Structure formats: structure tokens, C-alpha cells
Amino acid sequence: MSKKSVILVPQTEEILEQMGEQIKLARLRRKTSADLVAERAGISRTTLWAVEKGSPSVSIGIYAAVLHALNNMDRDLLLIAKDDELGRKIQDLELTVKRRAPKRKEN
């Protein structure tokens, strides 16, 4: 069975490459070797290098494991799509606004 190749738009490829570069810089800033990060993440050094290059064929779980190995940076993944500005605008367009205030209930 052959591996499926991932086809991405150029903009997404650039984002992955930038993310890989940022992960590499985070490792270097911490003065942590590739061997140590790979060991902590439970991956090979070759896979770590693929992450640091922004390879689209590496699973998101591996990216998360590498970020965790860099002192719990995996928490940053919670920021993905957190502020969905476009989604909120679409949702607001579908909301109906009542023209009159509701009647008061008599006690």
C-alpha cells in the first residue's frame, strides 16, 4: 500500500514551513539538542527534522508531541481557531432581532 501524498495550496505550505521554523527556533533558544527533543517526543531525529521543515506528511499528533517536549508548548494548540471572526460574523447575520420587546408578565 502506497502512502497518499498531501496536496496543499502554496499559502498553507508556507504556513507549515513557518511553523516548523518557529519550532526549530524554540528548540535552539532552549539550547536543547535534536536528539533530546526527539527522545522526549518519542520520535526519531529524522521525524523531528521533518517537523522542523514543516512537512505536511507528519501527523498533527507528532507536532503536538514535539511541542510538549519543548516544555509544554502544546498548550499553544488551544489557540488554533479560538477567535473565529468570520464564523461569528456569519452567525450574527443569521440571528433574527425581534422588533418589539417581549410583553411583561403580570404578577
Side-chain angles (χ1 to χ4, degrees):
M1 186 160 92
S2 65
K3 286 187 173 183
K4 293 181 182 179
S5 62
V6 180
I7 300 172
L8 299 174
V9 295
Q11 187 177 21
T12 303
E13 286 179 355
E14 290 172 11
I15 290 169
L16 282 174
E17 288 172 8
Q18 182 179 353
M19 187 171 74
E21 181 68 20
Q22 289 170 339
I23 289 170
K24 182 177 182 175
L25 290 173
R27 178 179 62 78
L28 294 174
R29 280 188 216 105
R30 287 164 175 73
K31 298 180 180 177
T32 308
S33 71
D35 286 330
L36 182 59
V37 172
E39 182 182 328
R40 287 179 181 173
I43 60 174
S44 69
R45 218 173 32 178
T46 305
T47 303
L48 177 61
W49 288 333
V51 167
E52 291 181 349
K53 288 181 182 179
S55 172
S57 64
V58 177
S59 75
I60 188 74
I62 298 294
Y63 278 92
V66 170
L67 288 169
H68 184 76
L70 292 169
N71 298 333
N72 298 322
M73 289 184 68
D74 53 331
R75 294 180 192 177
D76 292 348
L77 292 172
L78 294 174
L79 301 175
I80 296 172
K82 182 178 179 184
D83 187 21
D84 183 11
E85 189 175 324
L86 176 61
R88 291 187 192 278
K89 286 180 180 180
I90 292 169
Q91 187 179 37
D92 288 349
L93 288 173
E94 294 175 354
L95 294 177
T96 57
V97 179
K98 295 182 180 181
R99 295 176 188 248
R100 296 177 68 178
K103 292 183 180 180
R104 292 186 183 169
K105 292 183 181 178
E106 293 183 31
N107 291 340

